[in-house]
Amino acid sequence: MATASPSVFLLMVNGQVESAQFPEYDDLYCKYCFVYGQDWAPTAGLEEGISQITSKSQDMRQVLVWNFPIDVTFKSTNPYGWPQIVLSVYGPDVFGNDVVRGYGAVHVPFSPGRHKRTIPMFVPESTSKMQKFTSWFTGRRPEYTDPKVVAQGEGREVTRVRSQGFVTLLFNVVTKDMRKLGYDTGPLDTQGVSWPSPPQGFPQ
Amino acid sequence: MAEVHVIGQIVGASGFSESSLFCKWGIHTGAAWKLLSGVREGQTQVDTPQIGDMAYWSHPIDLHFATKGLQGWPRLHFQVWSQDSFGRCQLAGYGFCHVPSSPGTHQLACPTWRPLGSWREQLARAFVGGGPQLLHGDTIYSGADRYRLHTAAGGTVHLEISLLLRNFDRYGVEC
């Protein structure tokens, strides 16, 4: 039986949005979505999701746990535009309004195996003190109209942000037919790759 | 033709004395390399960290090159600037690093330096800000005229870069 050489490769990602560390905020929920290039298309699974609202644990760790599943499969002809997961975290402010607490994005890992990523989360910030006060008072904080902006490089040079937390993600990655198409993704990495660690005092 | 995908993020910077940092980055390649998709340069957001001293940019890099030779392997170069509350920008450091040559995911820490001027200029920089800058950006990644400079260390730029290679084994290249 002649095997036709494949023209498409598949990327299967599953895992979870595990937990978050936000020292100043509590009662948070997160939304995730995937951003990918034009040569990519999702074939199975969910591209977006909203998690439950979680509160900080009462013990010393002060960690916010979501344990929120991710499961998606993509097909593509070209690694350009490799999918990124964009996370947005929201929570209540003093007056009860739902405000954004952080945006973050990271590429789905490239090599098959298990990977742990801890990503920084940042919010846009206004430059004038008056605007900061009115946005705190009215609950209308600066936010991105489309969170997918965080996954792009263009247009970010005029934004000022404040980084104020971290989210930990776990990924399991399986690829199909990348080697047959000639792509070399490097050594299989089953221990996960270490990341520049968050400052002292935060659990890994 | 062999193809190289450079995909990853400029994660952030640490060790700078100023907060509110942003980075202008670019990639320089030799004549044998051709950029098929992606933007060759850009500028990150300005981040003021609330926790710790590391400024986080999470700026995505996604480049697709086709190459006919190994000479001129891509080099990423950076200019880290700080912005104060009045919107003025001051140079915090220049740095470059080569894109890794083996496929897989790599954590890179790129050291930076900034030009020192005369003692008058250093004093002025401490009080008023400003300070000398390079006239030609290619001194950041080339060694040509470096002997003229006297520099001091800045902080470190952190990157997470993954490399996908295609058809390199067809040409007998081992990496």
Side-chain angles (χ1 to χ4, degrees):
Chain A
M1 179 173 90
T3 335
S5 81
S7 59
V8 163
F9 64 88
L10 292 182
L11 169 71
M12 198 270 300
V13 185
N14 59 36
Q16 50 173 295
V17 180
E18 189 190 76
S19 60
Q21 295 128 29
F22 279 87
E24 299 164 11
Y25 305 111
D26 203 354
D27 296 328
L28 303 173
Y29 69 93
C30 80
K31 293 198 219 181
Y32 77 84
C33 64
F34 283 93
V35 175
Y36 40 86
Q38 287 174 330
D39 295 321
W40 290 78
T43 58
L46 297 169
E47 266 187 77
E48 333 184 292
I50 304 185
S51 76
Q52 76 274 22
I53 300 177
T54 184
S55 300
K56 276 187 182 147
S57 53
Q58 300 296 319
D59 54 16
M60 226 177 48
R61 291 174 308 157
Q62 295 278 287
V63 73
L64 295 139
V65 167
W66 284 306
N67 193 214
F68 186 52
I70 299 170
D71 197 345
V72 65
T73 305
F74 292 97
K75 71 170 188 218
S76 174
T77 54
N78 185 0
Y80 177 71
W82 194 274
Q84 297 181 59
I85 184 168
V86 172
L87 284 165
S88 329
V89 173
Y90 299 88
D93 70 355
V94 162
F95 302 107
N97 305 307
D98 206 22
V99 295
V100 65
R101 293 305 189 196
Y103 296 101
V106 71
H107 286 282
V108 167
F110 302 86
S111 49
R114 189 170 172 278
H115 306 266
K116 191 169 194 171
R117 293 277 189 263
T118 301
I119 63 173
M121 306 295 283
F122 49 84
V123 284
E125 198 180 46
S126 31
T127 43
S128 81
K129 291 207 177 356
M130 188 62 203
Q131 188 151 29
K132 282 187 193 165
F133 177 72
T134 39
S135 63
W136 172 83
F137 195 63
T138 58
R140 285 201 275 271
R141 305 287 174 104
E143 52 185 296
Y144 293 119
T145 49
D146 184 1
K148 299 190 176 187
V149 164
V150 168
Q152 291 160 11
E154 298 91 8
R156 301 251 302 255
E157 56 262 14
V158 292
T159 56
R160 280 206 216 212
V161 300
R162 199 170 67 232
S163 50
Q164 53 187 26
F166 299 92
V167 171
T168 304
L169 300 149
L170 285 169
F171 293 104
N172 294 311
V173 170
V174 176
T175 58
K176 175 178 188 287
D177 289 339
M178 279 194 83
R179 278 189 203 271
K180 280 196 198 156
L181 284 166
Y183 291 103
D184 185 359
T185 54
L188 291 182
D189 187 347
T190 47
Q191 260 96 37
V193 179
S194 68
W195 192 261
S197 42
Q200 300 296 328
F202 289 110
Q204 284 294 333
Chain B
M1 291 235 283
E3 293 170 35
V4 174
H5 289 268
V6 180
I7 308 178
Q9 274 190 356
I10 308 178
V11 177
S14 66
F16 286 93
S17 49
E18 305 95 340
S19 59
S20 289
L21 299 168
F22 67 95
C23 171
K24 290 159 92 141
W25 67 275
I27 193 158
H28 177 262
T29 55
W33 294 73
K34 188 168 150 216
L35 182 67
L36 298 177
S37 329
V39 278
R40 200 178 260 276
E41 56 187 19
Q43 186 174 319
T44 68
Q45 62 203 12
V46 182
D47 182 41
T48 316
Q50 296 288 293
I51 318 171
D53 81 327
M54 180 155 170
Y56 287 101
W57 298 315
S58 299
H59 191 93
I61 294 182
D62 196 340
L63 296 160
H64 183 191
F65 290 103
T67 180
K68 296 187 286 221
L70 290 176
Q71 306 311 318
W73 193 272
R75 285 178 253 207
L76 282 159
H77 56 265
F78 310 101
Q79 298 179 26
V80 181
W81 293 74
S82 69
Q83 187 178 47
D84 65 9
S85 49
F86 299 111
R88 297 176 306 175
C89 298
Q90 179 170 298
L91 179 74
Y94 294 114
F96 94 95
C97 63
H98 280 95
V99 165
S101 47
S102 57
T105 306
H106 306 265
Q107 308 295 329
L108 303 172
C110 171
T112 59
W113 49 270
R114 63 177 174 83
L116 289 173
S118 62
W119 66 269
R120 278 179 225 269
E121 285 167 339
Q122 290 176 48
L123 202 61
R125 187 178 193 272
F127 282 103
V128 177
Q133 300 166 26
L134 287 175
L135 266 184
H136 301 289
D138 51 357
T139 314
I140 306 174
Y141 49 82
S142 90
D145 277 325
R146 289 280 191 102
Y147 66 90
R148 296 173 199 267
L149 288 175
H150 183 196
T151 66
T156 312
V157 176
H158 298 276
L159 303 140
E160 188 242 8
I161 294 286
S162 298
L163 216 69
L164 263 71
L165 303 177
R166 187 178 194 200
N167 297 334
F168 268 58
D169 46 358
R170 211 191 274 178
Y171 295 95
V173 176
E174 296 128 5
C175 46

